[in-house]
Amino acid sequence: GAPGDGAAYAAPQAAPAAPARPARPAEAFDCLYAYSAPALVRQVYLLTGRRTLAQESVERAFRQAWAQWPEVATDPDPVGWVRSAAYEYALSPWRRLRRAHRTLGRPDKAPADPNDRILLGALLSLPPAHRRTVLLYDGVGLDLPDTAAETEASTPTTGNRLLRAHADLAARLPGLAGVPPQEQSAVLRAWLGAVRPAVPLEPPPAATVRTLSEHRARRWARAALMLTAVIAAATGYTTVTAPDHYVAPVPAGVSVSGVPPLSGPPRLTETSRALQDRLREHPAAGPRRLHPSLE
């Protein structure tokens, strides 16, 4: 089946069962990574159409999760925690300012199957907020309140986004136009789960992600220590060199280091002398001004 002829794709395979909780933090992280990273890379690929950005977003989200592992480990939904961080990074407007993403601004090679290509193109034509809502509600299978909470929107707003997104997709996908509204989510879930990207989406090993996160944490720690040392050195230098008492200014007419003060009127500059001569020659100056007479 295909989006163009009204038949749905085959239903996606069921997700593997959640692993048992390991004892060591590294083992718990590796289990969470193996359980959710491949699906998250695929989701972010559908969200952006770009493999490099999908892998970078998921890797960055898991590095952040390992750096904050006590918080993530006690979260009721660790997968949702990482998914939210990956989606936020992938859709961040600040990311577009990076040169690497400006040079790779176009989506990756489209899927080979024409039906997958039509579906992915229709999905990428939606506004980012609508695209994320469709992927969470129709693709991941969250209910409307959970979708609203993860997108940081109210439930009515999320419902309106979903309805508008379904209408836009139905206008671009003939196979979805004839499906009743209450069945469109199931059809989209099957179609999205069966998309076959033209590029591989394998995430890096979990150990690599943990190592990069630890290296990044050490670099930040060293930078913080260096900044603290610079501030301490600047504070110590200021304390030593700054005056510790009030020094009154030297008044006029007092000699400084044996140099006699300048006495008498200051020397006139050429401009001052020309102005003085002009004032003396003016008719209103001198005796005529002091003793006016009638002519």
Side-chain angles (χ1 to χ4, degrees):
D5 58 12
Y9 284 123
Q13 297 180 356
R21 183 184 299 274
R24 297 173 52 189
E27 295 176 356
F29 176 86
D30 292 352
C31 288
L32 176 65
Y33 189 88
Y35 172 71
S36 58
L40 288 178
V41 173
R42 177 184 174 85
Q43 292 171 26
V44 181
Y45 171 77
L46 295 175
L47 190 68
T48 61
R50 294 168 56 189
R51 178 192 63 173
T52 303
L53 179 57
Q55 292 175 334
E56 180 182 352
S57 301
V58 174
E59 179 182 340
R60 185 184 180 91
F62 272 102
R63 291 206 313 262
Q64 183 179 355
W66 181 240
Q68 306 177 28
W69 184 245
E71 174 186 348
V72 178
T74 56
D75 192 273
D77 183 14
V79 177
W81 194 101
V82 180
R83 179 178 60 236
S84 179
Y87 283 22
E88 288 289 344
Y89 179 79
L91 297 178
S92 172
W94 299 106
R95 175 193 49 75
R96 302 173 188 173
L97 301 178
R98 295 180 55 187
R99 179 179 301 179
H101 292 296
R102 289 201 302 267
T103 57
L104 300 175
R106 296 182 178 179
D108 291 338
K109 182 180 179 181
D113 190 288
N115 299 316
D116 293 347
R117 189 161 56 246
I118 293 174
L119 176 61
L120 186 59
L123 185 64
L124 295 177
S125 68
L126 299 176
H130 294 188
R131 196 187 319 154
R132 184 176 182 179
T133 301
V134 167
L135 193 60
L136 290 174
Y137 185 84
D138 297 326
V140 179
L142 300 183
D143 58 15
L144 199 59
D146 289 342
T147 302
E150 189 157 327
T151 56
E152 298 181 353
S154 64
T155 302
T157 299
T158 304
N160 290 332
R161 288 176 179 175
L162 189 65
L163 292 177
R164 293 184 59 182
H166 283 180
D168 293 340
L169 290 176
R172 296 176 62 93
L173 302 175
L176 191 63
V179 178
Q182 63 273 16
E183 300 178 6
Q184 289 181 348
S185 291
V187 173
L188 286 173
R189 184 175 297 112
W191 287 354
L192 292 173
V195 171
R196 295 178 294 275
V199 291
L201 300 177
E202 295 83 3
T208 302
V209 176
R210 283 192 286 105
T211 302
L212 291 175
S213 178
E214 292 166 358
H215 287 173
R216 181 180 179 86
R218 284 194 290 267
R219 287 197 302 267
W220 277 106
R222 286 195 295 265
L225 290 176
M226 292 179 61
L227 180 60
T228 303
V230 170
I231 294 176
T235 303
Y237 176 80
T238 303
T239 303
V240 172
T241 58
D244 56 357
H245 61 280
Y246 174 73
V247 179
V250 179
V254 177
S255 62
V256 179
S257 301
V259 178
L262 180 64
S263 61
R267 296 181 181 180
L268 295 177
T269 63
E270 293 296 331
T271 303
S272 300
R273 186 177 292 107
L275 179 60
Q276 190 179 57
D277 295 340
R278 183 178 178 184
L279 291 175
R280 287 175 178 174
E281 296 174 358
H282 196 275
R288 294 184 181 181
R289 183 176 181 182
L290 296 177
H291 302 284
S293 60
L294 294 177
E295 295 182 356

